[in-house]
Amino acid sequence: KGKRAFIAGVADDNGYGWAIAKSLAAAGAEILVGTWVPALNIFESSLRRGKFDDSRILPDGSLMEITKVYPLDAVFDNPEDVPEDIKANKRYAGSSNWTVQEVAESVKKDFGNIDILVHSLANGPEVIKPLLETSRRGYLAALSASSYSYVSLLKHFVPIMNPGGSSISLTYIASERIIPGYGGGMSSAKAALESDTRVLAFEAGRKHKIRVNTISAGPLRSRAAKAIGFIDMMIDYSLANAPLQKELSAEEVGNTAAFLASPLASAITGACYIR
Ligand code: NAD
């Protein structure tokens, strides 16, 4: 039987989440996505209006189907966590059940279980500030949205993941090497994500036979990357210095994720894949 995947962090057709969804769909998986609440309306209406149809084409010519789009804000674990100003915010008030715990409950109610969990989201409100100028609030916000969000997703989804399931996140080399410009605590957030990958691989592996890996991806001109401001420079740098002198495509990262989620990778866990 085909596998079912939940991919958190898809809000357009330019990012890694979309590319991973496509590679998993091409391999026969059913696709569910979690979309950041403030981006939900535009994503759903663009999908409906056919704006993504060209990017939905799979290698066999068919169109990727997204079975269901769930609103999600991964910085909130349950309704008690949501502050009043967010509750009252028009963009949030229009949707419901978008905290991590509620999304996992909804997926359980709708589908019973999943096999693949993908975390393809990050946010650092002070990313353009050097670490030395980052506020405590900005630093903690980066960790909350980019690192703990993964701990929380896995924690809430593991109970509905079939044994042998696979979980994947996306990280960036700024965790290990200094990349000036990747500020606001985002380098710290990626370091935490990579360390957590090893710990979570141990815990989720022992307890539920779930594999946990992360992909350290090269630079891609996504919406999030453009907001950081130096993406073209990073692409030029990779082109000049990487062993394969070509621009990385999102599809190549998608295919790495599909491999890691497949039985071909059945003994690979706790790893950081560099692509
Ligand atoms: P993207 O903009 O396509 O994806 C980021 C997504 O995160 C967006 O859809 C956004 O709506 C969502 N998001 C932000 N805060 C959220 C929250 N609180 N709850 C739920 N969703 C939230 O950009 P991308 O570059 O494809 O990013 C995907 C992942 O890839 C991120 O972890 C990023 O750090 C990582 N990555 C990107 C690059 C790159 O060059 N683009 C390189 C290495 C790693």
Side-chain angles (χ1 to χ4, degrees), residues 1-14:
K1 113 187 184 325
K3 292 188 174 169
R4 186 178 296 120
F6 181 85
I7 301 151
V10 180
D12 59 39
D13 59 350
N14 294 318

PDB file of all heavy atoms in Angstrom, residues 1-14:
ATOM      1  N   LYS A   1       0.841  -1.212   0.000  1.00  0.00           N
ATOM      2  CA  LYS A   1       0.000   0.000   0.000  1.00  0.00           C
ATOM      3  C   LYS A   1       0.860   1.239   0.000  1.00  0.00           C
ATOM      4  O   LYS A   1       1.973   1.244   0.532  1.00  0.00           O
ATOM      5  CB  LYS A   1      -0.965  -0.079   1.196  1.00  0.00           C
ATOM      6  CG  LYS A   1      -0.760   0.944   2.292  1.00  0.00           C
ATOM      7  CD  LYS A   1      -1.660   0.650   3.481  1.00  0.00           C
ATOM      8  CE  LYS A   1      -1.553   1.718   4.568  1.00  0.00           C
ATOM      9  NZ  LYS A   1      -0.275   2.368   4.818  1.00  0.00           N
ATOM     10  N   GLY A   2       0.349   2.314  -0.581  1.00  0.00           N
ATOM     11  CA  GLY A   2       1.113   3.553  -0.662  1.00  0.00           C
ATOM     12  C   GLY A   2       1.308   4.178   0.711  1.00  0.00           C
ATOM     13  O   GLY A   2       0.537   3.935   1.635  1.00  0.00           O
ATOM     14  N   LYS A   3       2.342   4.988   0.809  1.00  0.00           N
ATOM     15  CA  LYS A   3       2.595   5.648   2.086  1.00  0.00           C
ATOM     16  C   LYS A   3       1.909   7.000   2.125  1.00  0.00           C
ATOM     17  O   LYS A   3       1.574   7.567   1.095  1.00  0.00           O
ATOM     18  CB  LYS A   3       4.103   5.827   2.264  1.00  0.00           C
ATOM     19  CG  LYS A   3       4.783   4.479   2.435  1.00  0.00           C
ATOM     20  CD  LYS A   3       6.227   4.632   2.802  1.00  0.00           C
ATOM     21  CE  LYS A   3       6.806   3.261   3.091  1.00  0.00           C
ATOM     22  NZ  LYS A   3       8.246   3.285   3.202  1.00  0.00           N
ATOM     23  N   ARG A   4       1.710   7.482   3.348  1.00  0.00           N
ATOM     24  CA  ARG A   4       1.078   8.793   3.529  1.00  0.00           C
ATOM     25  C   ARG A   4       2.081   9.727   4.200  1.00  0.00           C
ATOM     26  O   ARG A   4       2.703   9.350   5.204  1.00  0.00           O
ATOM     27  CB  ARG A   4      -0.181   8.643   4.373  1.00  0.00           C
ATOM     28  CG  ARG A   4      -0.983   9.936   4.497  1.00  0.00           C
ATOM     29  CD  ARG A   4      -2.257   9.723   5.296  1.00  0.00           C
ATOM     30  NE  ARG A   4      -3.160   8.808   4.622  1.00  0.00           N
ATOM     31  CZ  ARG A   4      -3.588   7.659   5.140  1.00  0.00           C
ATOM     32  NH1 ARG A   4      -3.203   7.269   6.342  1.00  0.00           N
ATOM     33  NH2 ARG A   4      -4.408   6.897   4.470  1.00  0.00           N
ATOM     34  N   ALA A   5       2.221  10.940   3.652  1.00  0.00           N
ATOM     35  CA  ALA A   5       3.195  11.896   4.185  1.00  0.00           C
ATOM     36  C   ALA A   5       2.510  13.170   4.642  1.00  0.00           C
ATOM     37  O   ALA A   5       1.572  13.651   3.988  1.00  0.00           O
ATOM     38  CB  ALA A   5       4.225  12.230   3.101  1.00  0.00           C
ATOM     39  N   PHE A   6       2.975  13.706   5.759  1.00  0.00           N
ATOM     40  CA  PHE A   6       2.557  15.048   6.192  1.00  0.00           C
ATOM     41  C   PHE A   6       3.773  15.961   6.084  1.00  0.00           C
ATOM     42  O   PHE A   6       4.798  15.710   6.721  1.00  0.00           O
ATOM     43  CB  PHE A   6       2.019  15.028   7.624  1.00  0.00           C
ATOM     44  CG  PHE A   6       1.562  16.390   8.090  1.00  0.00           C
ATOM     45  CD1 PHE A   6       0.273  16.836   7.796  1.00  0.00           C
ATOM     46  CD2 PHE A   6       2.416  17.238   8.784  1.00  0.00           C
ATOM     47  CE1 PHE A   6      -0.153  18.103   8.202  1.00  0.00           C
ATOM     48  CE2 PHE A   6       2.000  18.510   9.190  1.00  0.00           C
ATOM     49  CZ  PHE A   6       0.709  18.934   8.898  1.00  0.00           C
ATOM     50  N   ILE A   7       3.637  17.025   5.293  1.00  0.00           N
ATOM     51  CA  ILE A   7       4.753  17.944   5.077  1.00  0.00           C
ATOM     52  C   ILE A   7       4.387  19.300   5.649  1.00  0.00           C
ATOM     53  O   ILE A   7       3.480  19.983   5.153  1.00  0.00           O
ATOM     54  CB  ILE A   7       5.061  18.059   3.570  1.00  0.00           C
ATOM     55  CG1 ILE A   7       5.406  16.668   3.033  1.00  0.00           C
ATOM     56  CG2 ILE A   7       6.213  19.027   3.306  1.00  0.00           C
ATOM     57  CD1 ILE A   7       5.064  16.472   1.596  1.00  0.00           C
ATOM     58  N   ALA A   8       5.093  19.693   6.697  1.00  0.00           N
ATOM     59  CA  ALA A   8       4.836  20.979   7.348  1.00  0.00           C
ATOM     60  C   ALA A   8       5.735  22.038   6.724  1.00  0.00           C
ATOM     61  O   ALA A   8       6.955  21.841   6.643  1.00  0.00           O
ATOM     62  CB  ALA A   8       5.114  20.870   8.846  1.00  0.00           C
ATOM     63  N   GLY A   9       5.143  23.150   6.269  1.00  0.00           N
ATOM     64  CA  GLY A   9       5.950  24.249   5.724  1.00  0.00           C
ATOM     65  C   GLY A   9       5.871  24.368   4.213  1.00  0.00           C
ATOM     66  O   GLY A   9       6.883  24.593   3.549  1.00  0.00           O
ATOM     67  N   VAL A  10       4.663  24.217   3.666  1.00  0.00           N
ATOM     68  CA  VAL A  10       4.460  24.437   2.226  1.00  0.00           C
ATOM     69  C   VAL A  10       3.471  25.591   2.086  1.00  0.00           C
ATOM     70  O   VAL A  10       2.350  25.510   2.586  1.00  0.00           O
ATOM     71  CB  VAL A  10       3.887  23.182   1.535  1.00  0.00           C
ATOM     72  CG1 VAL A  10       3.682  23.439   0.037  1.00  0.00           C
ATOM     73  CG2 VAL A  10       4.788  21.974   1.750  1.00  0.00           C
ATOM     74  N   ALA A  11       3.899  26.679   1.431  1.00  0.00           N
ATOM     75  CA  ALA A  11       2.973  27.797   1.235  1.00  0.00           C
ATOM     76  C   ALA A  11       3.059  28.366  -0.177  1.00  0.00           C
ATOM     77  O   ALA A  11       2.383  29.336  -0.503  1.00  0.00           O
ATOM     78  CB  ALA A  11       3.235  28.897   2.270  1.00  0.00           C
ATOM     79  N   ASP A  12       3.928  27.788  -1.001  1.00  0.00           N
ATOM     80  CA  ASP A  12       3.984  28.150  -2.427  1.00  0.00           C
ATOM     81  C   ASP A  12       4.749  27.037  -3.145  1.00  0.00           C
ATOM     82  O   ASP A  12       5.064  26.009  -2.541  1.00  0.00           O
ATOM     83  CB  ASP A  12       4.641  29.539  -2.631  1.00  0.00           C
ATOM     84  CG  ASP A  12       6.059  29.611  -2.086  1.00  0.00           C
ATOM     85  OD1 ASP A  12       6.814  28.624  -2.237  1.00  0.00           O
ATOM     86  OD2 ASP A  12       6.435  30.648  -1.510  1.00  0.00           O
ATOM     87  N   ASP A  13       5.051  27.267  -4.434  1.00  0.00           N
ATOM     88  CA  ASP A  13       5.717  26.192  -5.185  1.00  0.00           C
ATOM     89  C   ASP A  13       7.203  26.452  -5.375  1.00  0.00           C
ATOM     90  O   ASP A  13       7.829  25.872  -6.261  1.00  0.00           O
ATOM     91  CB  ASP A  13       5.017  25.980  -6.540  1.00  0.00           C
ATOM     92  CG  ASP A  13       5.020  27.256  -7.387  1.00  0.00           C
ATOM     93  OD1 ASP A  13       5.381  28.337  -6.869  1.00  0.00           O
ATOM     94  OD2 ASP A  13       4.666  27.161  -8.577  1.00  0.00           O
ATOM     95  N   ASN A  14       7.787  27.344  -4.535  1.00  0.00           N
ATOM     96  CA  ASN A  14       9.204  27.688  -4.707  1.00  0.00           C
ATOM     97  C   ASN A  14      10.139  27.057  -3.695  1.00  0.00           C
ATOM     98  O   ASN A  14      11.352  27.115  -3.866  1.00  0.00           O
ATOM     99  CB  ASN A  14       9.389  29.208  -4.595  1.00  0.00           C
ATOM    100  CG  ASN A  14       8.719  29.938  -5.736  1.00  0.00           C
ATOM    101  OD1 ASN A  14       8.810  29.505  -6.876  1.00  0.00           O
ATOM    102  ND2 ASN A  14       8.024  31.019  -5.418  1.00  0.00           N
TER     103      ASN A  14
END
